[in-house]
Amino acid sequence: MSGVVVVVPTGPAPVLQVTVTAGTVPAGARMVVRGRARGYSWPVRCGSATSTGEQLVLTDALAPVNVPVSYEVAWDGGLVVSTPVVRPWAGRSLMTDTLGGSQVDLVWQGDDPRTSDQRVTLHTVVGRTTPVAVLAPVMGAGTVSLTARTDPAGTTALVALVARGVPVALLHNPRLCYQCRRGACDVPLVTVVVLTDVSRARTTRADAAERAWSLKGTVVAVPEQGLLVAVSSWDDLDARGLTWDQVEAMGLTWDELDRVLWGEVGP
């Protein structure tokens, strides 16, 4: 039977396994696999591909917790949707890395302050009473700030996570949110950020070594596996002092050329 099958492994906030069964998408068709939950939609990592007609198995570490989640595969002329599942989490709010590891159980406090990045530059022109505004075609996702509390186990886990210097996923917990239960909450179920400012201090709580954290992060997208990112610039290549004849003599393809760390190549 063709379709999309989702497996929920055991354990807290497990990474979901999403399988597009063989024969679901015609070979050669360009397909996209997405998750959906409570009006929130996200692309599944590595789910944008050209179908071979064979089975495709993906994992999703960024699915929200404690809400029904369904997955769909869409292609030109077709759409298949899975049966909803729930990614369980018995803790409070959750922070992880983008692979679903390094789980941190924390209390998310505050009113979810977020700042948009308008990407606007204003230029003053002599003789005009108003400036010339230059706007980027796409506005930035901006930043998010939060105050969090952790117990000793959560403190140890969060110290280790922020020390790794990786993007993190902040997962809202609808199970403990009164507004979510009423269908009136507007907090994003999952926010992926790079933490840019982290501080912590002991609270006045006497019965446990509790820490209060002040966290700020810039909202980012998770890079797709297989997406080529340049590791060097043309300036790095020029600094090597090579002629084009010398570069051509290396016999490199353009893809191979892009992968060379020219800033680390010796004379």
Side-chain angles (χ1 to χ4, degrees):
M1 179 180 296
S2 62
V4 182
V5 179
V6 185
V7 174
V8 183
T10 59
V15 176
L16 303 184
Q17 178 179 299
V18 183
T19 301
V20 180
T21 58
T24 298
V25 182
R30 188 66 183 175
M31 63 179 181
V32 177
V33 182
R34 300 186 66 87
R36 295 191 181 276
R38 208 186 68 181
Y40 169 64
S41 173
W42 65 97
V44 179
R45 203 169 189 179
C46 300
S48 179
T50 299
S51 173
T52 63
E54 300 177 350
Q55 174 178 277
L56 175 66
V57 180
L58 306 170
T59 57
D60 187 16
L62 298 180
V65 295
N66 296 332
V67 291
V69 176
S70 61
Y71 290 87
E72 65 182 34
V73 56
W75 66 98
D76 187 17
L79 175 69
V80 176
V81 182
S82 73
T83 300
V85 300
V86 174
R87 184 186 185 191
W89 171 248
R92 297 160 295 185
S93 293
L94 173 64
M95 182 182 288
T96 73
D97 61 28
T98 56
L99 297 179
S102 303
Q103 295 183 347
V104 181
D105 184 0
L106 52 82
V107 176
W108 181 352
Q109 295 180 296
D111 53 4
D112 191 38
R114 295 175 183 250
T115 302
S116 298
D117 180 6
Q118 294 304 108
R119 296 179 180 173
V120 177
T121 303
L122 298 177
H123 300 273
T124 301
V125 179
V126 177
R128 283 186 56 144
T129 58
T130 58
V132 175
V134 179
L135 293 85
V138 178
M139 298 297 100
T143 63
V144 59
S145 303
L146 70 143
T147 300
R149 297 201 324 269
T150 54
D151 57 19
T155 296
T156 299
L158 189 48
V159 167
L161 178 57
V162 299
R164 291 176 55 196
V166 296
V168 300
L170 180 61
L171 287 80
H172 182 53
N173 189 353
R175 184 178 65 86
L176 301 179
C177 177
Y178 174 71
Q179 289 182 338
C180 280
R181 293 196 294 270
R182 297 182 57 207
C185 185
D186 69 348
V187 176
L189 293 172
V190 181
T191 303
V192 179
V193 301
V194 170
L195 295 174
T196 56
D197 190 84
V198 178
S199 61
R200 61 187 182 273
R202 287 280 294 266
T203 69
T204 57
R205 184 172 173 178
D207 62 324
E210 184 181 66
R211 287 269 175 179
W213 295 73
S214 178
L215 305 171
K216 185 173 182 179
T218 298
V219 179
V220 297
V222 179
E224 281 281 352
Q225 294 182 9
L227 178 65
L228 295 180
V229 179
V231 295
S232 302
S233 67
W234 285 111
D235 288 341
D236 294 326
L237 177 57
D238 290 341
R240 301 282 66 85
L242 300 173
T243 66
W244 277 113
D245 288 341
Q246 290 174 310
V247 173
E248 291 178 356
M250 295 179 184
L252 300 175
T253 66
W254 282 112
D255 286 342
E256 292 169 337
L257 193 74
D258 286 340
R259 290 182 173 87
V260 177
L261 296 174
W262 292 103
E264 299 179 5
V265 174

